[in-house]
Amino acid sequence: MHGAIKHGLTLFFILAPLAATAGDTLGKIRDSQTITFAYRQTAPFSYTNDNKQIVGYSIDLCQKIADAVKRELKLPNLKVQYLPVDSSTRFSSIIDGKADLECGSTTNNAERRTRVGFTVPHFFSSVRMVVKNGSGIKNWSDLRNKTMVITKSTTTIDLVNDRSNVRSLNIKVLEAQDDAESFAFVEQGKADAYAMDDVLLYSLRSTAKNPADYTILGDPLSIEPYSLMLRKDDPAFKKVVDQEMVRLINEGELKKIYSYWFTQPNGPKGSNLNMPMGYLLRDSLQYPSDKTAQ
């Protein structure tokens, strides 16, 4: 009996410090004098460049937040650590406390907000299409009797079907193995259009032999707001993150960082995405909010 009680007490003392720090990111950072950023290889948001440095649009925003934490906690020697994650481990890295902030291209939606927290969106992605100039295609209805390529195992075809039934437009649909091959189908004239997340289309276009030969167009079929991800139910840390994001927005710094990564030759291998800020992000910056639609 005594052994069982002792064992129970030991467990309590082991778990108590963990429980105390689970919702206290600032305390954890103060104790370790380190802030940890999770990142994925998703250029231009976060990626490893040719000099083996971790860079990107989201990384720059996280660096600004690190400076804000440094000021808040009066830690002039605050260290920044990076934790590589993938599409599934990005969530557990935050929930389990391995990382304090995820700096990438994660969609902020209601289902995910039941498990994690988000700050205000820093990007809006939407499904559109890329076509060769002179194709005569301006929107989805212009695909009548044309050929469209999609990347295998993506939901793009369902979105196109929902928007304007493929059968009534008599669209011939081809499937490619990956995104590079899909874009190559348009380059080689095997397909009239390739539908995918617009930021990926801009990225693929930027590395084409003649980027100016292609146009990205079409009404958005879906909206994906990307936000930096943090632990849920940690109001003190979230307040620091949100205040810095709002400051970056209000003082025009976020627009400058966006311009650097999306409208100048600073992408992977010096490519220029030529992707001006879309109206969705521009409008959202007027009334920043961490709540987004489904």
Side-chain angles (χ1 to χ4, degrees):
M1 183 69 177
H2 291 298
I5 293 171
K6 184 180 178 185
H7 182 63
L9 288 172
T10 305
L11 271 180
F12 172 77
F13 287 124
I14 289 170
L15 292 174
L18 292 176
T21 58
D24 182 17
T25 303
L26 291 176
K28 174 176 171 284
I29 293 169
R30 185 188 293 110
D31 291 345
S32 64
Q33 300 210 7
T34 303
I35 188 167
T36 303
F37 295 148
Y39 74 100
R40 286 188 296 155
Q41 295 292 340
T42 53
F45 298 95
S46 55
Y47 66 102
T48 307
N49 68 12
D50 292 340
N51 297 323
K52 306 298 180 195
Q53 296 168 309
I54 298 154
V55 298
Y57 173 57
S58 300
I59 296 293
D60 279 2
L61 296 176
C62 280
Q63 288 284 3
K64 293 287 186 182
I65 289 165
D67 290 341
V69 170
K70 194 183 289 187
R71 292 191 298 270
E72 177 73 18
L73 299 180
K74 299 179 175 58
L75 288 176
N77 298 317
L78 178 69
K79 295 190 291 291
V80 174
Q81 282 187 346
Y82 291 98
L83 177 71
V85 294
D86 59 29
S87 57
S88 56
T89 60
R90 57 183 162 160
F91 298 104
S92 58
S93 75
I94 294 295
I95 293 166
D96 297 343
K98 293 181 188 131
D100 303 309
L101 203 58
E102 190 253 352
C103 315
S105 52
T106 295
T107 299
N108 172 356
N109 61 29
E111 183 276 322
R112 287 175 175 171
R113 287 198 298 273
T114 64
R115 296 182 288 144
V116 294
F118 290 99
T119 186
V120 301
H122 58 278
F123 192 85
F124 286 83
S125 174
S126 58
V127 169
R128 300 175 74 206
M129 61 179 150
V130 63
V131 300
K132 262 188 179 171
N133 296 343
S135 66
I137 298 169
K138 297 283 188 292
N139 220 326
W140 303 101
S141 58
D142 298 322
L143 289 173
R144 184 176 301 281
N145 300 321
K146 304 270 190 188
T147 300
M148 183 179 73
V149 62
I150 60 164
T151 303
K152 204 171 184 178
S153 302
T154 61
T155 58
T156 308
I157 189 63
D158 297 328
L159 290 168
V160 174
N161 266 321
D162 289 344
R163 182 56 181 253
S164 49
N165 193 284
V166 162
R167 287 183 182 167
S168 68
L169 291 174
N170 194 32
I171 298 171
K172 182 184 178 185
V173 178
L174 303 177
E175 281 195 347
Q177 289 301 315
D178 56 35
D179 299 317
E181 186 179 55
S182 291
F183 188 76
F185 274 31
V186 177
E187 283 184 304
Q188 296 160 11
K190 294 179 184 175
D192 300 295
Y194 166 39
M196 181 49 79
D197 287 4
D198 57 358
V199 66
L200 183 62
L201 297 179
Y202 278 97
S203 184
L204 287 163
R205 183 181 72 171
S206 74
T207 57
K209 191 176 177 183
N210 295 302
D213 291 347
Y214 304 91
T215 301
I216 291 143
L217 44 74
D219 294 335
L221 295 190
S222 74
I223 305 299
E224 305 284 337
Y226 297 167
S227 299
L228 305 178
M229 180 167 57
L230 58 153
R231 268 179 289 290
K232 190 175 164 62
D233 301 326
D234 190 348
F237 181 58
K238 182 165 168 45
K239 182 181 177 185
V240 175
V241 174
D242 287 349
Q243 282 181 340
E244 180 60 10
M245 284 296 291
V246 171
R247 186 194 71 79
L248 292 171
I249 290 166
N250 289 343
E251 296 184 11
E253 285 191 49
L254 186 140
K255 283 184 179 176
K256 287 178 186 171
I257 296 169
Y258 181 98
S259 178
Y260 178 90
W261 287 105
F262 291 94
T263 67
Q264 297 171 34
N266 297 311
K269 303 191 185 303
S271 61
N272 186 342
L273 269 67
N274 282 312
M275 187 177 188
M277 188 178 285
Y279 73 92
L280 285 167
L281 179 56
R282 208 168 51 241
D283 290 353
S284 79
L285 299 183
Q286 294 179 33
Y287 306 101
S289 170
D290 60 349
K291 299 294 187 290
T292 65
Q294 296 290 343

